[in-house]
Amino acid sequence: MAHSARTDCPELPDFFLLKRLARDQLIYLLEQLPGKKDLFIEADLMSPLDRIANVSTLKQHEVDKLYKVEYKPIVSTSDQLCFLIRPRIQTVKWICDVANADKATGRFRRYKIIFTPQKFYACDAVLEEQGIIGDVTTDEWSFYLLPLDDDIISLELPEFFRDNFLAGDQRWVRTAGSALHLLHSLYGPFSKVYGIGRCSKMAYESWREQVEEGEQKARQAEIGKVFLIDRDVDFVTPLCSQVVYEGLVDDIFKIKCACVEFGPDVTSSDKSIKVMLNSQDRVFNEIRNEHFSNVFGFLSQKARNLQTSYDKRRGMDIKQMKTFVSEELKGLKQEHRLLSLHIGACESIMKKKTKQDFQELLKTEHSLLEGFEIRESISFIEEHINRQVSMIESLRLLCLLSITENGLLPKDYRSLKAQYLQSYGVDHLLTFANLRQLGLLVEQQPGETLTVMESKVGKLVNDRTGGETGFLFNLLLITIFVSLRIRAGVPKSDEEYDLRVPRDMAYIFSGAYVPLSCKLIEQVLERDGWTGLEEVTRLLNGHEFAVTGYGADSKAKNDAQRIILVMFLGGCTFSEISALRFLGRERGCKFIVVTTAITNSSRLIEALLDNLV
């Protein structure tokens, strides 16, 4: 079922070292507070922490009880309290309240705050302002990177997107640079670094400063090239419905740190079960990148093959049976359990998507991506809003409509906004301001109608000299036509797209759209830079760069040159990861995806929600 890979694909580096380093540093920091202690963990750190150091590991290092930070008076009776938190003002103020409450009752305790991945000046300022800076000790846990799978690494910073792109808060840029520096130190030196986007440029400069300040050691590189890309270069891709299996599982069941919880509707019992979704799950690994329409057929064939393996027991003598039980039976039972779970997940997805008129939704999305039947699409969105199907889904469709149409006509914008506020409440006015600020949902400006845009396209294309690839003309035409980043690689063929044998990355969206982020990566790698893409980068707000790495031979021909690290600043979808895996198989290389967080349409929109109340 999985697409066949080229036999000359290189091996990926082993990222277990990242986990070991993070665990060892955390243990060292805990031991700086000797004796029994209670550990308070911020809620969004609990899942990442479990992947690094489980409860038994913490208990071995004198952690007595674990609590989740809940911003209310604590019940701990321990004389030593340790707080593992993100550098957030709200959490620091809560810790100050805890310490000051103890002071008021005459209770003496020792307090230690471990900030991860780093401490900000504002945190010390709050401790000083609240009068407890002398009563607590602080440390930093440099937990920058969490390997989620062989080729996926996350910074687990979902707030990066809103803080950087909406609020203009660049505090996490240094963190991204430090994460890149850690990878360079362990798996570099990198031969070439490419990037596009303002945040990517700053992260690269932060990394470069750290490299220049530190000691450079000669080593055999395991990663060759690096590509940094801002999320706002391509907003269309995360706004599209995911139809590859892993993306759908994330949309429906919410994958968190490569772990998903399947409820009774999947397990066919009265219990929920947590499952790790990674390459160790052989069933999942074969279907994770597949278009959902192909998954049931594969699982059916897998079930038949499994039954055949079980049937081998018949007619065995005692010695053969003993060998079967000791060598095969356990693996078959594990595979059977996983197969049952994924079949249950598929059935649950089918039920939920049927209820939501998923096919009609996909048809509307594809119409928007291809620029057809726009009035019908607007009618569908209006019905979606007025039926109150989903607040998040309605906003997502409005944003997709706005981006693909170069903004909405003023009358359409006012009408759709009014209908949305009537359906979901006027307290969402701030959300519309946020979407407008990011250019996700805007009114079409006077003089920027589609007819005017078409004339611009004609002039630019006619001014070009021969010899450019078809991609450049398509990208120029489409990028200008919709003013933002859409249809960079919309398949132009009238042939029906065969999803069983995909011919390009468009398969992840049923053949309707090649993600711009991945298409840019493909083109820059082919050209070894941005030469010939100047108009494209200008229209994408630029900040592109291509530089030779530090201490590396960019002309060296070895396996490391076919290992490409792509860092998404602001989040990455499972659909994009699937597309890059496909591209890697086609090119005989492998991609490692590093992202500030795994995102999807719901998470992207939720990050921009604001209420007046």
Side-chain angles (χ1 to χ4, degrees), residues 238-284:
L239 287 172
C240 291
S241 294
Q242 301 193 85
V243 287
V244 292
Y245 180 67
E246 189 168 15
L248 272 170
V249 171
D250 185 38
D251 284 349
I252 300 295
F253 302 104
K254 310 301 180 191
I255 298 174
K256 192 171 185 180
C257 290
C259 183
V260 68
E261 184 170 352
F262 288 134
D265 57 328
V266 173
T267 61
S268 300
S269 67
D270 57 351
K271 296 180 180 179
S272 296
I273 183 171
K274 287 188 176 181
V275 181
M276 291 301 300
L277 295 181
N278 55 34
S279 56
Q280 301 303 308
D281 179 341
R282 291 192 298 172
V283 176
F284 174 71

Side-chain angles (χ1 to χ4, degrees), residues 494-562:
D494 292 330
E495 301 173 17
E496 187 173 342
Y497 198 98
D498 187 353
L499 294 169
R500 292 171 299 179
V501 189
R503 59 176 179 263
D504 56 26
M505 292 182 285
Y507 88 92
I508 67 165
F509 292 123
S510 306
Y513 166 62
V514 177
L516 175 57
S517 55
C518 301
K519 195 68 178 178
L520 281 172
I521 292 166
E522 178 189 38
Q523 287 297 308
V524 170
L525 291 174
E526 280 186 7
R527 299 159 184 264
D528 192 25
W530 297 95
T531 304
L533 298 173
E534 291 82 6
E535 288 288 354
V536 174
T537 56
R538 182 179 64 80
L539 293 162
L540 293 174
N541 296 324
H543 299 287
E544 75 283 356
F545 56 93
V547 295
T548 302
Y550 287 83
D553 182 0
S554 61
K555 296 181 180 179
K557 300 294 182 183
N558 54 38
D559 280 352
Q561 298 309 308
R562 294 186 292 139

Side-chain angles (χ1 to χ4, degrees), residues 10 46 103 105 111 172 194 237 301 339 439 451 499 537 607:
M46 297 190 89
K103 275 186 183 180
T105 58
Y111 310 95
W172 297 116
Y194 313 97
T237 299
Q301 183 60 49
L339 187 61
T451 306
L499 294 169
T537 56

Side-chain angles (χ1 to χ4, degrees), residues 240-465:
C240 291
S241 294
Q242 301 193 85
V243 287
V244 292
Y245 180 67
E246 189 168 15
L248 272 170
V249 171
D250 185 38
D251 284 349
I252 300 295
F253 302 104
K254 310 301 180 191
I255 298 174
K256 192 171 185 180
C257 290
C259 183
V260 68
E261 184 170 352
F262 288 134
D265 57 328
V266 173
T267 61
S268 300
S269 67
D270 57 351
K271 296 180 180 179
S272 296
I273 183 171
K274 287 188 176 181
V275 181
M276 291 301 300
L277 295 181
N278 55 34
S279 56
Q280 301 303 308
D281 179 341
R282 291 192 298 172
V283 176
F284 174 71
N285 196 44
E286 291 191 69
I287 60 177
R288 67 193 309 179
N289 303 310
E290 296 294 333
H291 191 279
F292 189 67
S293 61
N294 299 331
V295 174
F296 263 121
F298 167 79
L299 293 177
S300 299
Q301 183 60 49
K302 194 78 174 174
R304 288 192 290 271
N305 294 344
L306 196 61
Q307 187 61 50
T308 302
S309 298
Y310 273 121
D311 290 344
K312 287 194 307 182
R313 294 174 297 175
R314 296 172 184 171
M316 286 183 177
D317 57 30
I318 294 176
K319 186 177 180 181
Q320 290 171 328
M321 182 63 75
K322 185 178 179 181
T323 302
F324 175 79
V325 170
S326 63
E327 296 180 4
E328 295 184 49
L329 187 58
K330 185 178 179 181
L332 290 173
K333 284 184 176 180
Q334 172 73 355
E335 198 166 339
H336 181 269
R337 185 183 73 87
L338 293 171
L339 187 61
S340 298
L341 284 173
H342 289 297
I343 289 173
C346 285
E347 289 173 343
S348 181
I349 289 170
M350 287 289 288
K351 288 176 187 175
K352 290 174 181 175
K353 290 303 182 184
T354 302
K355 284 181 183 177
Q356 296 174 4
D357 303 320
F358 191 54
Q359 291 304 318
E360 194 64 31
L361 181 68
L362 287 181
K363 181 184 174 184
T364 299
E365 285 184 26
H366 293 175
S367 295
L368 293 175
L369 292 169
E370 294 163 2
F372 301 126
E373 301 178 344
I374 300 305
R375 296 318 305 179
E376 289 84 346
S377 297
I378 291 175
S379 297
F380 176 86
I381 296 171
E382 288 178 322
E383 182 185 354
H384 200 275
I385 292 170
N386 294 326
R387 286 170 52 205
Q388 297 183 333
V389 176
S390 165
M391 178 180 74
I392 300 294
E393 283 284 291
S394 296
L395 274 180
R396 178 179 74 83
L397 290 170
L398 286 173
C399 291
L400 198 56
L401 171 66
S402 174
I403 293 174
T404 54
E405 288 302 295
N406 186 44
L408 303 180
L409 292 171
K411 65 174 184 178
D412 288 334
Y413 179 85
R414 289 193 293 268
S415 172
L416 289 166
K417 181 179 177 181
Q419 290 179 67
Y420 186 91
L421 295 175
Q422 287 168 0
S423 286
Y424 297 110
V426 294
D427 50 320
H428 289 290
L429 272 170
L430 283 178
T431 299
F432 277 82
N434 292 343
L435 296 172
R436 187 185 188 93
Q437 182 179 328
L438 281 182
L440 285 170
L441 184 54
V442 298
E443 288 184 69
Q444 210 171 81
Q445 296 302 309
E448 289 297 308
T449 63
L450 294 182
T451 306
V452 173
M453 298 301 285
E454 282 177 310
S455 68
K456 288 184 180 180
V457 170
K459 182 177 185 302
L460 270 166
V461 172
N462 290 333
D463 284 348
R464 303 296 297 180
T465 58

